[in-house]
Amino acid sequence: MISYHKTFTLTRELVDQWISITGDDNPIHKEDSTLKYGKPVVPGFLVTSFITHQPMTPNWAVAKIDVRYHDAVFIDDTINAKYEVRKERPGKLRVTYIEIYVGDVLKQSAEITTVALR
């Protein structure tokens, strides 16, 4: 089994760029948010985009992804993405299980299937 991890910091600038590109104007992502968490939450799909960042060979595409959202991620949190390849047919298919943590707290998990394009 192949395992690896990658760390990313979710800055205000990155969140603002994501919001600008996607048009996500949900007030939960803004500095003056007075919603449930009392501070701005990073868009869930932005965090999910790091799940699809897999250090793999070129010419692979995502075929299927199953994501679970466990808890909110906040601006300036550093996430640690832990990847474990659970199934692989070299040059054809790979199934990877990914967990996204902030500290010791699980924030998202996913199983992603990628396929070779060549």
Side-chain angles (χ1 to χ4, degrees):
M1 231 176 280
I2 303 167
S3 296
Y4 46 94
H5 76 276
K6 183 108 175 141
T7 301
F8 305 91
T9 299
L10 300 168
T11 63
R12 172 86 258 174
E13 179 183 23
L14 179 61
V15 170
D16 286 345
Q17 288 173 350
W18 179 269
I19 289 169
S20 174
I21 290 167
T22 63
D24 183 351
D25 61 356
N26 187 331
I28 199 168
H29 309 307
K30 306 251 186 298
E31 289 295 333
D32 59 352
S33 175
T34 57
L35 299 171
K36 178 180 179 180
Y37 296 104
K39 56 185 174 179
V41 174
V42 174
F45 282 127
L46 173 56
V47 179
T48 302
S49 72
F50 289 97
I51 286 173
T52 63
H53 175 86
Q54 296 187 64
M56 61 182 137
T57 56
N59 302 313
W60 286 74
V62 174
K64 179 181 175 186
I65 186 167
D66 181 20
V67 180
R68 288 186 169 227
Y69 298 91
H70 301 278
D71 201 359
V73 174
F74 303 102
I75 293 171
D76 293 326
D77 277 352
T78 297
I79 61 172
N80 185 19
K82 297 178 180 182
Y83 304 82
E84 180 182 298
V85 176
R86 293 198 169 166
K87 179 179 179 183
E88 185 168 27
R89 287 188 220 139
K92 296 184 188 264
L93 173 90
R94 178 181 292 162
V95 178
T96 306
Y97 183 73
I98 302 123
E99 294 178 326
I100 301 279
Y101 289 88
V102 174
D104 293 334
V105 179
L106 179 63
K107 301 294 185 163
Q108 285 187 19
S109 59
E111 184 174 273
I112 184 168
T113 301
T114 52
V115 294
L117 298 175
R118 290 187 186 185

